[in-house]
Amino acid sequence: MDRGTVLRRSVSHLFVYVTILTAAIAQPLLQLYGSNLAMFAAADMQGARVLMFMAVVVLGPPFVLWTVELLVSTIRATWQESVHCVLVFVGFWAFVNLLLRDVGFGSWVVALLVTGVAAAALSLLYARRAQVRGWLRWMSPLALAVCVLFTLAVRDVVWVPKVEAVELKNTNREAVVTGGTAKSDVSVVWLILDEFPLFSLLDENGKVNAERFPGFGKLANTSTWYRNVLATSQTTTDAVPAMLSGLKPKSGGSPVLASHPKNLFTLMNGHLSMDAHEVVTALCPKEVCKTVSVSGGEDIANPATTTTSTPEVVDAVAKATPQMVPFLRDAAVVLGHKILPKGLRDRLPAIDENWGGFGQGGGDFNEEDLLDSASDRTSENAGTEDSDSSGSSALSTSGEEDSEVLLDAKKLRVKDWQEGGPVTQVQTLLDVAERAAQSSRATLHFVHALLPHRPWELTPDLRKHKWLGSDKKTGDVLDTARDEYQEFLLQAAAADSLVDNLVTKLQRSANWDRTMLIVTSDHGMTFELGEWKRKTVNPKNLGSVEDIYRPPLFIKYPDQSTAKVDDCPAMGIDILPTVAAATGIDAGWSFDGVDLAAECPPRTTREVIWLEGKTTMTSGPEAVIARAKFYNEWVGSAFGVDGIAAVTPYAPLLGKAVTPSSGEQYIASWSPTQQSVFKNIPSKRFSMIPMEVDGRIRVAKSLPKNAVGLFLVDGKVAGFIGELSGARAGSNLYFRTTLSQSSMTPGAHTIALAVAVGNPANPTLTKGPAPRRP
């Protein structure tokens, strides 16, 4: 066979590959991405890069098969048709798996065998019927149709609108003074946390649990706490744009600039310096937020301890260019969920708990690289209205001509936040706190941080533990739900430590009075038995609805000197109008929300939405107090962060040294995981510690309902194992437990198991066997 014949056949075969793989891979993948623009927003993918992604998805797979065929044909031309048939079989197999992905075959091995037989039958039909081969070649323009439909779906992230500074109705902001601060001097620090229900911050009396959450306690003592606020939606991609635009959301909207052209960033553009960090949305125009532009110095951050004035630093931090390879890696995981049978899909990283970086959250993290980035800066000056002659005087040193002192260092890496899990959120919050404290000019510091959003891996002191996972829908077993709630509380306490750092740095700085500080969350979540945590909403279960739609909202106004609790029926859409009023930036826009500082919204009912529907809420702050009491029955509010490990009613045992007897032998054996880590618990930030432990317990003798396992560290009660309650003899139980932070001191530790039976105030304690290797 001559080369010309081989080439002509290979071109004909290429059209076949394009048809089959468009149907098997490109169409389902691009349809999913086209209807979820948040995945592009989260990866900071816009413009030509989105079209490049489309080209890779559509042309990559068929060209891979075509290249294989060409290489084999080069070696031996007579093998071309055989190789082609094998490659067609591979394509058909992917297509059949896609079609039958929801069919229950039992084992994934059986599923692959069944789909393989079906693919073989299609391949045989293809080999024997010229009409089939011709039809597949002529159907190759299907790829073009898929590209057109995808381009139309993603046009808002491909052709991003340009923006100009809005013209203000009030042109003399300097003359408007609130307290002692001119509105033109007001800086805004706005932190949106994620998946953070208000009830988790409260004690049984409905007050902020300052012992467990000192950061929020400090914030509550210096701000206005809007205790009766509701989120507008249970999805981030609806709730955050609603907050940033001041408009009620439409379910399933795209969180991009084209869909929300009037938003916080376009309003502040040209009037405040920008320090903006979005993670799921893409509402800030590239030309506005591509750099972090902040000026200031240490004398502003620490005026009480700095004896000499430091020169002003213009800190323009260029954000990293989005990377195509990690995005394609994520797409491969998504594709696996589309075409693999269930048994294999279950082994893939979850794709419905984040918007990218699938499977990256559990990886190791280099603390030195992360902390070094805090001091690394690039030297650029991004202009704002304050960089003209009116603002340049702040750059003067020793009365000499105005000058700019720029840091000469590496770029700060602002990566896709999902790649390293919750750890990657930490440094951004630390950096923003530092810049907010140092800033010498009016600046918008905005951060949406995926904390305490799943995966729950951080400890209150910012070390890490093994994430034991969570069900998207809580089961019917209280102990399982409580285990997950405890794991959540650990990361909530980690988020609190970052809030504490932010408030402390601002209070210490010269910027405290002129700063408007906002801390809120996009929505909450529920741990109610039998309910989805927030994927969907059951309006008949009012408790779960309260959990999901009641986030925290604290606003420290410029020059605010006394704390206040406000029970007005606020909503997330009220925040932007409140910010606009506090800064005096009035562009004449219409909002669905109101300025909370000026009026209490006259809402007797409030509508909240989710993907499948909506409901109306009429409850007040008493509802969240009731929810706090409900969950305090699971995990009490006492003992600070250590109390997260406590189980009601055995909480008083936590931290006590106990000497169990060798009486009843309830436990035959137990095999906790991470035993080797207890031999040398590290202290380093982000180092792995065994604060969440699971394993197996084999029961020798049936236990009463009031029994509980005690996880002992150095002879002290560090955690509780509720799975032993009512356990039957001979059962081999899976258990998980949360351990107290005070038991995680650096160094070597011993572990043991005891069983508590009887009156929780004075139980009988029985020693368990030595731990076995799992």
Side-chain angles (χ1 to χ4, degrees):
M1 188 184 302
D2 59 63
R3 290 189 177 181
T5 302
V6 170
L7 186 58
R8 284 192 300 273
R9 285 185 176 179
S10 65
V11 171
S12 175
H13 294 166
L14 175 60
F15 290 123
V16 173
Y17 297 144
V18 168
T19 300
I20 297 175
L21 295 180
T22 294
I25 295 176
Q27 190 279 330
L29 198 59
L30 294 181
Q31 182 184 34
L32 188 149
Y33 273 80
S35 59
N36 290 274
L37 298 190
M39 301 180 82
F40 294 106
D44 199 24
M45 296 279 286
Q46 292 184 2
R49 289 180 173 273
V50 177
L51 298 181
M52 287 173 56
F53 168 73
M54 175 189 70
V56 171
V57 170
V58 173
L59 299 178
F63 270 89
V64 168
L65 298 191
W66 189 54
T67 301
V68 171
E69 179 181 325
L70 283 178
L71 289 175
V72 173
S73 301
T74 301
I75 298 172
R76 180 168 296 185
T78 55
W79 290 353
Q80 183 179 21
E81 287 300 321
S82 299
V83 171
H84 173 61
C85 288
V86 171
L87 297 178
V88 166
F89 166 76
V90 171
F92 277 138
W93 202 1
F95 179 67
V96 174
N97 272 294
L98 174 69
L99 291 180
L100 303 181
R101 70 182 299 275
D102 294 325
V103 177
F105 291 105
S107 167
W108 61 267
V109 176
V110 174
L112 289 180
L113 287 174
V114 171
T115 55
V117 170
L122 290 175
S123 301
L124 185 62
L125 183 65
Y126 170 83
R128 293 183 175 181
R129 299 286 185 179
Q131 300 95 321
V132 174
R133 295 193 295 274
W135 182 79
L136 286 175
R137 286 194 297 271
W138 284 107
M139 285 298 293
S140 59
L142 172 67
L144 181 59
V146 168
C147 289
V148 170
L149 292 174
F150 175 76
T151 302
L152 291 174
V154 300
R155 60 188 181 277
D156 287 347
V157 293
V158 175
W159 294 281
V160 181
K162 301 292 184 181
V163 298
E164 301 291 339
V166 295
E167 183 177 346
L168 302 186
K169 294 180 66 177
N170 54 328
T171 57
N172 191 20
R173 293 171 56 221
E174 291 79 2
V176 183
V177 178
T178 301
T181 302
K183 290 193 175 185
S184 58
D185 291 333
V186 171
S187 281
V188 178
V189 180
W190 186 346
L191 169 60
I192 299 179
L193 298 167
D194 204 292
E195 212 171 57
F196 205 153
L198 175 58
F199 70 77
S200 63
L201 289 174
L202 309 184
D203 61 20
E204 62 275 8
N205 298 314
K207 297 181 179 179
V208 173
N209 187 347
E211 184 182 9
R212 179 167 297 162
F213 301 105
F216 278 96
K218 189 178 298 183
L219 183 61
N221 288 333
T222 55
S223 67
T224 300
W225 173 22
Y226 291 95
R227 189 170 56 171
N228 192 21
V229 69
L230 291 183
T232 54
S233 173
Q234 44 64 274
T235 61
T236 299
T237 50
D238 287 335
V240 172
M243 282 192 276
L244 296 182
S245 66
L247 301 175
K248 294 178 181 179
K250 295 180 180 179
S251 183
S254 298
V256 297
L257 176 61
S259 299
H260 307 276
K262 293 182 177 181
N263 63 63
L264 170 72
F265 309 110
T266 55
L267 182 63
M268 301 294 167
N269 175 33
H271 307 293
L272 271 72
S273 298
M274 286 290 174
D275 181 7
H277 303 269
E278 297 180 88
V279 64
V280 178
T281 56
L283 272 62
C284 191
K286 279 280 190 180
E287 61 269 26
V288 174
C289 293
K290 65 183 177 182
T291 58
V292 173
S293 178
V294 179
S295 61
E298 187 64 20
D299 58 327
I300 299 174
N302 292 287
T305 58
T306 305
T307 56
T308 58
S309 178
T310 57
E312 183 164 277
V313 176
V314 176
D315 186 9
V317 184
K319 298 185 180 180
T321 302
Q323 300 296 312
M324 182 65 73
V325 172
F327 195 74
L328 290 174
R329 184 174 59 231
D330 286 345
V333 176
V334 173
L335 179 63
H337 278 276
K338 295 291 286 184
I339 66 174
L340 292 178
K342 187 178 185 307
L344 293 179
R345 293 199 302 271
D346 291 343
R347 303 184 183 189
L348 294 173
I351 62 173
D352 57 354
E353 294 176 350
N354 218 324
W355 296 270
F358 307 126
Q360 299 293 316
D364 294 331
F365 209 87
N366 189 313
E367 185 197 21
E368 283 81 5
D369 288 348
L370 187 70
L371 297 183
D372 286 347
S373 70
S375 58
D376 294 343
R377 299 290 186 268
T378 187
S379 45
E380 289 182 36
N381 180 18
T384 68
E385 68 171 7
D386 290 323
S387 61
D388 57 17
S389 59
S390 65
S392 60
S393 60
L395 297 169
S396 300
T397 59
S398 304
E400 298 178 358
E401 183 180 358
D402 297 344
S403 62
E404 296 177 357
V405 181
L406 304 179
L407 288 179
D408 182 14
K410 299 182 298 181
K411 290 182 179 181
L412 171 64
R413 297 176 299 162
V414 184
K415 288 186 172 182
D416 294 341
W417 286 10
Q418 295 90 342
E419 284 196 14
V423 165
T424 60
Q425 314 296 278
V426 173
Q427 193 59 48
T428 301
L429 288 173
L430 294 177
D431 285 349
V432 168
E434 194 75 30
R435 291 194 289 267
Q438 291 183 351
S439 177
S440 65
R441 61 190 182 192
T443 303
L444 169 64
H445 304 274
F446 173 84
V447 182
H448 175 199
L450 292 179
L451 286 175
H453 192 285
R454 291 164 285 180
W456 301 316
E457 296 176 343
L458 291 177
T459 67
D461 60 0
L462 297 182
R463 288 182 285 178
K464 289 179 63 178
H465 62 78
K466 177 184 176 182
W467 185 40
L468 300 182
S470 68
D471 294 326
K472 300 172 187 65
K473 186 175 183 179
T474 305
D476 296 324
V477 179
L478 173 59
D479 191 70
T480 301
R482 181 170 49 203
D483 287 338
E484 294 182 353
Y485 182 47
Q486 289 174 300
E487 195 170 30
F488 158 80
L489 286 174
L490 293 180
Q491 192 147 295
D496 175 78
S497 71
L498 296 168
V499 171
D500 194 357
N501 174 73
L502 173 63
V503 175
T504 300
K505 283 188 176 296
L506 282 172
Q507 284 183 320
R508 186 188 301 146
S509 75
N511 289 332
W512 177 250
D513 286 340
R514 71 179 187 88
T515 296
M516 181 183 195
L517 173 61
I518 305 161
V519 178
T520 186
S521 177
D522 54 353
H523 48 67
M525 67 186 305
T526 186
F527 292 87
E528 276 269 13
L529 301 184
E531 297 292 346
W532 292 95
K533 288 187 170 60
R534 68 174 179 87
K535 182 178 180 181
T536 189
V537 176
N538 178 9
K540 295 181 180 179
N541 188 329
L542 298 182
S544 66
V545 175
E546 296 288 347
D547 296 347
I548 293 171
Y549 288 98
R550 287 196 177 272
L553 173 59
F554 297 87
I555 300 179
K556 198 285 290 182
Y557 290 94
D559 300 304
Q560 182 170 352
S561 58
T562 58
K564 179 182 178 182
V565 177
D566 191 316
D567 285 337
C568 283
M571 297 194 75
I573 55 176
D574 297 323
I575 302 177
L576 181 58
T578 306
V579 170
T583 56
I585 298 177
D586 181 6
W589 294 357
S590 295
F591 300 112
D592 291 332
V594 303
D595 173 14
L596 293 174
E599 63 176 296
C600 181
R603 300 174 180 132
T604 56
T605 63
R606 287 174 284 179
E607 183 180 270
V608 296
I609 67 170
W610 60 94
L611 290 177
E612 301 89 3
K614 60 184 178 180
T615 191
T616 298
M617 298 180 66
T618 59
S619 58
E622 73 285 345
V624 74
I625 296 173
R627 300 309 295 164
K629 289 181 179 179
F630 174 80
Y631 285 103
N632 270 279
E633 291 296 319
W634 293 14
V635 179
S637 60
F639 309 113
V641 293
D642 267 2
I644 295 172
V647 171
T648 303
Y650 297 94
L653 291 175
L654 187 69
K656 289 188 175 181
V658 296
T659 306
S661 68
S662 301
E664 296 281 357
Q665 293 300 311
Y666 289 107
I667 307 302
S669 64
W670 74 302
S671 306
T673 59
Q674 308 175 71
Q675 293 182 40
S676 61
V677 187
F678 283 97
K679 296 178 181 178
N680 186 19
I681 291 180
S683 60
K684 193 176 177 181
R685 179 178 288 180
F686 306 136
S687 57
M688 294 293 293
I689 63 173
M691 206 161 179
E692 288 283 327
V693 178
D694 60 350
R696 309 292 305 189
I697 295 179
R698 187 175 296 278
V699 180
K701 183 179 179 180
S702 295
L703 288 132
K705 285 287 186 180
N706 62 359
V708 68
L710 305 180
F711 195 110
L712 308 182
V713 176
D714 299 330
K716 295 182 179 180
V717 178
F720 300 86
I721 301 175
E723 287 84 355
L724 290 182
S725 174
R728 294 181 176 274
S731 57
N732 186 13
L733 304 174
Y734 169 81
F735 78 91
R736 62 186 286 183
T737 184
T738 298
L739 303 184
S740 64
Q741 180 169 283
S742 62
S743 69
M744 296 288 105
T745 56
H749 298 273
T750 60
I751 61 174
L753 174 66
V755 177
V757 176
N759 183 357
N762 186 28
T764 300
L765 305 182
T766 304
K767 183 187 299 184
R772 292 183 179 180
R773 295 181 62 182

